PDB file of all heavy atoms in Angstrom:
ATOM      1  N   ALA A  62      -6.813  -7.999  -0.091  1.00 82.00           N
ATOM      2  CA  ALA A  62      -7.672  -7.016   0.648  1.00 82.00           C
ATOM      3  C   ALA A  62      -6.812  -6.102   1.415  1.00 82.00           C
ATOM      4  O   ALA A  62      -7.083  -4.889   1.443  1.00 82.00           O
ATOM      5  CB  ALA A  62      -8.693  -7.765   1.505  1.00 82.00           C
ATOM      6  N   LYS A  63      -5.805  -6.649   2.069  1.00 85.00           N
ATOM      7  CA  LYS A  63      -4.874  -5.799   2.885  1.00 85.00           C
ATOM      8  C   LYS A  63      -4.161  -4.762   2.007  1.00 85.00           C
ATOM      9  O   LYS A  63      -3.974  -3.668   2.397  1.00 85.00           O
ATOM     10  CB  LYS A  63      -3.850  -6.746   3.623  1.00 85.00           C
ATOM     11  CG  LYS A  63      -2.932  -5.992   4.592  1.00 85.00           C
ATOM     12  CD  LYS A  63      -2.024  -6.993   5.278  1.00 85.00           C
ATOM     13  CE  LYS A  63      -1.084  -6.286   6.247  1.00 85.00           C
ATOM     14  NZ  LYS A  63      -0.222  -7.232   6.939  1.00 85.00           N
ATOM     15  N   ILE A  64      -3.728  -5.224   0.798  1.00 88.00           N
ATOM     16  CA  ILE A  64      -3.003  -4.439  -0.098  1.00 88.00           C
ATOM     17  C   ILE A  64      -3.806  -3.234  -0.551  1.00 88.00           C
ATOM     18  O   ILE A  64      -3.462  -2.076  -0.426  1.00 88.00           O
ATOM     19  CB  ILE A  64      -2.471  -5.269  -1.311  1.00 88.00           C
ATOM     20  CG1 ILE A  64      -1.370  -6.124  -0.967  1.00 88.00           C
ATOM     21  CG2 ILE A  64      -2.136  -4.250  -2.474  1.00 88.00           C
ATOM     22  CD1 ILE A  64      -0.972  -7.106  -2.036  1.00 88.00           C
ATOM     23  N   PHE A  65      -5.084  -3.540  -0.988  1.00 88.00           N
ATOM     24  CA  PHE A  65      -5.899  -2.508  -1.496  1.00 88.00           C
ATOM     25  C   PHE A  65      -6.455  -1.593  -0.366  1.00 88.00           C
ATOM     26  O   PHE A  65      -6.720  -0.337  -0.663  1.00 88.00           O
ATOM     27  CB  PHE A  65      -7.046  -3.043  -2.353  1.00 88.00           C
ATOM     28  CG  PHE A  65      -6.580  -3.627  -3.571  1.00 88.00           C
ATOM     29  CD1 PHE A  65      -6.538  -5.003  -3.825  1.00 88.00           C
ATOM     30  CD2 PHE A  65      -6.090  -2.801  -4.621  1.00 88.00           C
ATOM     31  CE1 PHE A  65      -6.037  -5.475  -5.058  1.00 88.00           C
ATOM     32  CE2 PHE A  65      -5.639  -3.294  -5.815  1.00 88.00           C
ATOM     33  CZ  PHE A  65      -5.536  -4.662  -6.068  1.00 88.00           C
ATOM     34  N   ASP A  66      -6.614  -2.092   0.876  1.00 87.00           N
ATOM     35  CA  ASP A  66      -7.001  -1.199   1.953  1.00 87.00           C
ATOM     36  C   ASP A  66      -5.840  -0.214   2.232  1.00 87.00           C
ATOM     37  O   ASP A  66      -6.000   0.983   2.475  1.00 87.00           O
ATOM     38  CB  ASP A  66      -7.292  -1.989   3.194  1.00 87.00           C
ATOM     39  CG  ASP A  66      -8.728  -2.496   3.196  1.00 87.00           C
ATOM     40  OD1 ASP A  66      -9.503  -1.919   2.497  1.00 87.00           O
ATOM     41  OD2 ASP A  66      -8.986  -3.428   3.952  1.00 87.00           O
ATOM     42  N   HIS A  67      -4.626  -0.694   2.125  1.00 90.00           N
ATOM     43  CA  HIS A  67      -3.423   0.050   2.356  1.00 90.00           C
ATOM     44  C   HIS A  67      -3.337   1.124   1.273  1.00 90.00           C
ATOM     45  O   HIS A  67      -3.061   2.306   1.589  1.00 90.00           O
ATOM     46  CB  HIS A  67      -2.145  -0.752   2.329  1.00 90.00           C
ATOM     47  CG  HIS A  67      -0.883  -0.003   2.651  1.00 90.00           C
ATOM     48  ND1 HIS A  67      -0.589   0.347   3.992  1.00 90.00           N
ATOM     49  CD2 HIS A  67       0.111   0.501   1.937  1.00 90.00           C
ATOM     50  CE1 HIS A  67       0.532   1.087   3.970  1.00 90.00           C
ATOM     51  NE2 HIS A  67       0.974   1.081   2.766  1.00 90.00           N
ATOM     52  N   ILE A  68      -3.511   0.790  -0.001  1.00 91.00           N
ATOM     53  CA  ILE A  68      -3.473   1.799  -1.063  1.00 91.00           C
ATOM     54  C   ILE A  68      -4.568   2.818  -0.889  1.00 91.00           C
ATOM     55  O   ILE A  68      -4.289   4.077  -1.028  1.00 91.00           O
ATOM     56  CB  ILE A  68      -3.641   1.140  -2.460  1.00 91.00           C
ATOM     57  CG1 ILE A  68      -2.396   0.156  -2.662  1.00 91.00           C
ATOM     58  CG2 ILE A  68      -3.754   2.162  -3.516  1.00 91.00           C
ATOM     59  CD1 ILE A  68      -2.602  -0.591  -4.000  1.00 91.00           C
ATOM     60  N   GLU A  69      -5.749   2.411  -0.475  1.00 88.00           N
ATOM     61  CA  GLU A  69      -6.887   3.339  -0.304  1.00 88.00           C
ATOM     62  C   GLU A  69      -6.547   4.433   0.757  1.00 88.00           C
ATOM     63  O   GLU A  69      -6.996   5.548   0.653  1.00 88.00           O
ATOM     64  CB  GLU A  69      -8.165   2.524   0.053  1.00 88.00           C
ATOM     65  CG  GLU A  69      -9.393   3.379   0.039  1.00 88.00           C
ATOM     66  CD  GLU A  69      -9.737   4.044  -1.285  1.00 88.00           C
ATOM     67  OE1 GLU A  69      -9.404   3.472  -2.321  1.00 88.00           O
ATOM     68  OE2 GLU A  69     -10.177   5.192  -1.243  1.00 88.00           O
ATOM     69  N   HIS A  70      -5.886   3.971   1.839  1.00 88.00           N
ATOM     70  CA  HIS A  70      -5.584   4.934   2.904  1.00 88.00           C
ATOM     71  C   HIS A  70      -4.330   5.671   2.724  1.00 88.00           C
ATOM     72  O   HIS A  70      -4.069   6.642   3.479  1.00 88.00           O
ATOM     73  CB  HIS A  70      -5.629   4.192   4.267  1.00 88.00           C
ATOM     74  CG  HIS A  70      -6.958   3.690   4.676  1.00 88.00           C
ATOM     75  ND1 HIS A  70      -7.372   2.387   4.421  1.00 88.00           N
ATOM     76  CD2 HIS A  70      -7.963   4.370   5.312  1.00 88.00           C
ATOM     77  CE1 HIS A  70      -8.625   2.295   4.848  1.00 88.00           C
ATOM     78  NE2 HIS A  70      -9.040   3.430   5.417  1.00 88.00           N
ATOM     79  N   HIS A  71      -3.479   5.256   1.838  1.00 91.00           N
ATOM     80  CA  HIS A  71      -2.145   5.897   1.715  1.00 91.00           C
ATOM     81  C   HIS A  71      -1.752   6.290   0.261  1.00 91.00           C
ATOM     82  O   HIS A  71      -0.595   6.556   0.008  1.00 91.00           O
ATOM     83  CB  HIS A  71      -1.121   4.901   2.295  1.00 91.00           C
ATOM     84  CG  HIS A  71      -1.244   4.554   3.706  1.00 91.00           C
ATOM     85  ND1 HIS A  71      -0.886   5.387   4.763  1.00 91.00           N
ATOM     86  CD2 HIS A  71      -1.884   3.488   4.239  1.00 91.00           C
ATOM     87  CE1 HIS A  71      -1.209   4.800   5.899  1.00 91.00           C
ATOM     88  NE2 HIS A  71      -1.767   3.650   5.626  1.00 91.00           N
ATOM     89  N   PHE A  72      -2.717   6.344  -0.644  1.00 92.00           N
ATOM     90  CA  PHE A  72      -2.419   6.605  -2.075  1.00 92.00           C
ATOM     91  C   PHE A  72      -1.764   7.984  -2.307  1.00 92.00           C
ATOM     92  O   PHE A  72      -1.069   8.207  -3.272  1.00 92.00           O
ATOM     93  CB  PHE A  72      -3.590   6.437  -3.015  1.00 92.00           C
ATOM     94  CG  PHE A  72      -4.692   7.330  -2.721  1.00 92.00           C
ATOM     95  CD1 PHE A  72      -4.721   8.669  -3.214  1.00 92.00           C
ATOM     96  CD2 PHE A  72      -5.841   6.832  -1.960  1.00 92.00           C
ATOM     97  CE1 PHE A  72      -5.763   9.462  -2.994  1.00 92.00           C
ATOM     98  CE2 PHE A  72      -6.901   7.755  -1.893  1.00 92.00           C
ATOM     99  CZ  PHE A  72      -6.846   9.034  -2.318  1.00 92.00           C
ATOM    100  N   ALA A  73      -2.007   8.905  -1.317  1.00 92.00           N
ATOM    101  CA  ALA A  73      -1.490  10.301  -1.393  1.00 92.00           C
ATOM    102  C   ALA A  73      -0.058  10.339  -0.946  1.00 92.00           C
ATOM    103  O   ALA A  73       0.645  11.381  -1.062  1.00 92.00           O
ATOM    104  CB  ALA A  73      -2.288  11.264  -0.674  1.00 92.00           C
ATOM    105  N   GLU A  74       0.480   9.246  -0.424  1.00 92.00           N
ATOM    106  CA  GLU A  74       1.877   9.201   0.068  1.00 92.00           C
ATOM    107  C   GLU A  74       2.815   8.635  -1.027  1.00 92.00           C
ATOM    108  O   GLU A  74       2.331   8.146  -2.034  1.00 92.00           O
ATOM    109  CB  GLU A  74       1.939   8.358   1.326  1.00 92.00           C
ATOM    110  CG  GLU A  74       1.067   8.860   2.461  1.00 92.00           C
ATOM    111  CD  GLU A  74       0.936   7.961   3.619  1.00 92.00           C
ATOM    112  OE1 GLU A  74       1.781   7.018   3.722  1.00 92.00           O
ATOM    113  OE2 GLU A  74       0.030   8.105   4.436  1.00 92.00           O
ATOM    114  N   SER A  75       4.107   8.660  -0.731  1.00 90.00           N
ATOM    115  CA  SER A  75       5.058   8.148  -1.699  1.00 90.00           C
ATOM    116  C   SER A  75       5.163   6.583  -1.582  1.00 90.00           C
ATOM    117  O   SER A  75       6.110   6.084  -1.042  1.00 90.00           O
ATOM    118  CB  SER A  75       6.395   8.811  -1.435  1.00 90.00           C
ATOM    119  OG  SER A  75       7.330   8.395  -2.401  1.00 90.00           O
ATOM    120  N   LEU A  76       4.183   5.971  -2.174  1.00 91.00           N
ATOM    121  CA  LEU A  76       4.206   4.485  -2.103  1.00 91.00           C
ATOM    122  C   LEU A  76       5.050   3.892  -3.212  1.00 91.00           C
ATOM    123  O   LEU A  76       5.086   4.407  -4.328  1.00 91.00           O
ATOM    124  CB  LEU A  76       2.716   3.949  -2.269  1.00 91.00           C
ATOM    125  CG  LEU A  76       1.722   4.169  -1.129  1.00 91.00           C
ATOM    126  CD1 LEU A  76       0.351   3.570  -1.559  1.00 91.00           C
ATOM    127  CD2 LEU A  76       2.153   3.548   0.090  1.00 91.00           C
ATOM    128  N   SER A  77       5.727   2.827  -2.865  1.00 92.00           N
ATOM    129  CA  SER A  77       6.541   2.146  -3.915  1.00 92.00           C
ATOM    130  C   SER A  77       6.063   0.743  -4.036  1.00 92.00           C
ATOM    131  O   SER A  77       5.417   0.173  -3.124  1.00 92.00           O
ATOM    132  CB  SER A  77       8.010   2.097  -3.480  1.00 92.00           C
ATOM    133  OG  SER A  77       8.252   1.221  -2.334  1.00 92.00           O
ATOM    134  N   LEU A  78       6.287   0.136  -5.234  1.00 93.00           N
ATOM    135  CA  LEU A  78       5.865  -1.278  -5.397  1.00 93.00           C
ATOM    136  C   LEU A  78       6.515  -2.213  -4.440  1.00 93.00           C
ATOM    137  O   LEU A  78       5.914  -3.092  -3.968  1.00 93.00           O
ATOM    138  CB  LEU A  78       6.276  -1.632  -6.943  1.00 93.00           C
ATOM    139  CG  LEU A  78       5.859  -3.006  -7.385  1.00 93.00           C
ATOM    140  CD1 LEU A  78       5.680  -2.960  -8.893  1.00 93.00           C
ATOM    141  CD2 LEU A  78       6.891  -4.050  -7.085  1.00 93.00           C
ATOM    142  N   GLU A  79       7.843  -1.990  -4.132  1.00 92.00           N
ATOM    143  CA  GLU A  79       8.537  -2.820  -3.231  1.00 92.00           C
ATOM    144  C   GLU A  79       7.900  -2.747  -1.843  1.00 92.00           C
ATOM    145  O   GLU A  79       7.792  -3.787  -1.193  1.00 92.00           O
ATOM    146  CB  GLU A  79       9.974  -2.432  -3.239  1.00 92.00           C
ATOM    147  CG  GLU A  79      10.786  -2.739  -4.434  1.00 92.00           C
ATOM    148  CD  GLU A  79      10.534  -1.699  -5.573  1.00 92.00           C
ATOM    149  OE1 GLU A  79       9.858  -0.652  -5.275  1.00 92.00           O
ATOM    150  OE2 GLU A  79      11.063  -1.959  -6.686  1.00 92.00           O
ATOM    151  N   GLU A  80       7.561  -1.516  -1.403  1.00 91.00           N
ATOM    152  CA  GLU A  80       6.956  -1.405  -0.101  1.00 91.00           C
ATOM    153  C   GLU A  80       5.641  -2.141   0.070  1.00 91.00           C
ATOM    154  O   GLU A  80       5.402  -2.849   1.080  1.00 91.00           O
ATOM    155  CB  GLU A  80       6.787   0.097   0.196  1.00 91.00           C
ATOM    156  CG  GLU A  80       6.001   0.423   1.446  1.00 91.00           C
ATOM    157  CD  GLU A  80       5.566   1.871   1.552  1.00 91.00           C
ATOM    158  OE1 GLU A  80       6.146   2.667   0.712  1.00 91.00           O
ATOM    159  OE2 GLU A  80       4.687   2.164   2.369  1.00 91.00           O
ATOM    160  N   VAL A  81       4.774  -2.011  -0.924  1.00 91.00           N
ATOM    161  CA  VAL A  81       3.468  -2.615  -0.831  1.00 91.00           C
ATOM    162  C   VAL A  81       3.619  -4.109  -0.998  1.00 91.00           C
ATOM    163  O   VAL A  81       2.838  -4.890  -0.284  1.00 91.00           O
ATOM    164  CB  VAL A  81       2.526  -2.036  -1.948  1.00 91.00           C
ATOM    165  CG1 VAL A  81       1.167  -2.760  -1.889  1.00 91.00           C
ATOM    166  CG2 VAL A  81       2.350  -0.560  -1.696  1.00 91.00           C
ATOM    167  N   ALA A  82       4.562  -4.632  -1.811  1.00 91.00           N
ATOM    168  CA  ALA A  82       4.745  -6.003  -1.909  1.00 91.00           C
ATOM    169  C   ALA A  82       5.221  -6.620  -0.638  1.00 91.00           C
ATOM    170  O   ALA A  82       4.750  -7.739  -0.193  1.00 91.00           O
ATOM    171  CB  ALA A  82       5.809  -6.299  -3.082  1.00 91.00           C
ATOM    172  N   GLU A  83       6.111  -5.936   0.039  1.00 90.00           N
ATOM    173  CA  GLU A  83       6.635  -6.412   1.316  1.00 90.00           C
ATOM    174  C   GLU A  83       5.568  -6.500   2.372  1.00 90.00           C
ATOM    175  O   GLU A  83       5.511  -7.381   3.197  1.00 90.00           O
ATOM    176  CB  GLU A  83       7.778  -5.529   1.772  1.00 90.00           C
ATOM    177  CG  GLU A  83       8.404  -6.002   3.024  1.00 90.00           C
ATOM    178  CD  GLU A  83       9.569  -5.105   3.468  1.00 90.00           C
ATOM    179  OE1 GLU A  83       9.954  -4.182   2.670  1.00 90.00           O
ATOM    180  OE2 GLU A  83      10.175  -5.287   4.556  1.00 90.00           O
ATOM    181  N   LEU A  84       4.595  -5.515   2.320  1.00 87.00           N
ATOM    182  CA  LEU A  84       3.486  -5.496   3.289  1.00 87.00           C
ATOM    183  C   LEU A  84       2.736  -6.770   3.269  1.00 87.00           C
ATOM    184  O   LEU A  84       2.240  -7.302   4.315  1.00 87.00           O
ATOM    185  CB  LEU A  84       2.555  -4.299   2.949  1.00 87.00           C
ATOM    186  CG  LEU A  84       1.326  -4.155   3.726  1.00 87.00           C
ATOM    187  CD1 LEU A  84       1.650  -3.713   5.148  1.00 87.00           C
ATOM    188  CD2 LEU A  84       0.342  -3.151   3.168  1.00 87.00           C
ATOM    189  N   ALA A  85       2.557  -7.393   2.103  1.00 84.00           N
ATOM    190  CA  ALA A  85       1.789  -8.640   1.922  1.00 84.00           C
ATOM    191  C   ALA A  85       2.699  -9.895   1.971  1.00 84.00           C
ATOM    192  O   ALA A  85       2.210 -10.977   1.869  1.00 84.00           O
ATOM    193  CB  ALA A  85       1.062  -8.672   0.621  1.00 84.00           C
ATOM    194  N   GLY A  86       3.957  -9.641   2.088  1.00 87.00           N
ATOM    195  CA  GLY A  86       4.829 -10.768   2.144  1.00 87.00           C
ATOM    196  C   GLY A  86       5.189 -11.410   0.761  1.00 87.00           C
ATOM    197  O   GLY A  86       5.529 -12.589   0.711  1.00 87.00           O
TER     198      GLY A  86
END
């Protein structure tokens, strides 16, 4: 849920797989 909320609010930014994976540990 944390991951998808983050994507929903930041999908227009330069997101990387490594960054989002680290967010969730």
